[in-house]
């Protein structure tokens, strides 16, 4: 039997603003910087492990 351990979206929280908004790399390298951004990579990893509570 497989046991999945996921968090629901209400347990993780809400993203209030984009981490790119105040990033220094954005002015020079956007959108190329997205591929190597550690903050976005961590954010995507957290969101990938969550399950939505809505039926949308």
């Amino acid at each position: 039997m497989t046991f999945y351990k996921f968090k629901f979206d209400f347990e993780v929280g809400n993203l209030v603003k984009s981490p790119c908004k105040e990033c220094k790399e954005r002015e020079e390298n956007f959108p190329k910087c997205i591929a190597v951004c550690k903050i976005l990579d961590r954010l995507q990893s957290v969101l990938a492990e969550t399950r939505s509570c809505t039926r949308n």
Side-chain angles (χ1 to χ4, degrees), residues 19-20 23 32-44:
C20 300
C23 182
K32 297 175 187 173
C33 59
I34 292 172
V36 295
C37 182
K38 293 180 182 181
I39 295 171
L40 289 178
D41 186 46
R42 184 155 185 244
L43 181 62
Q44 289 173 342

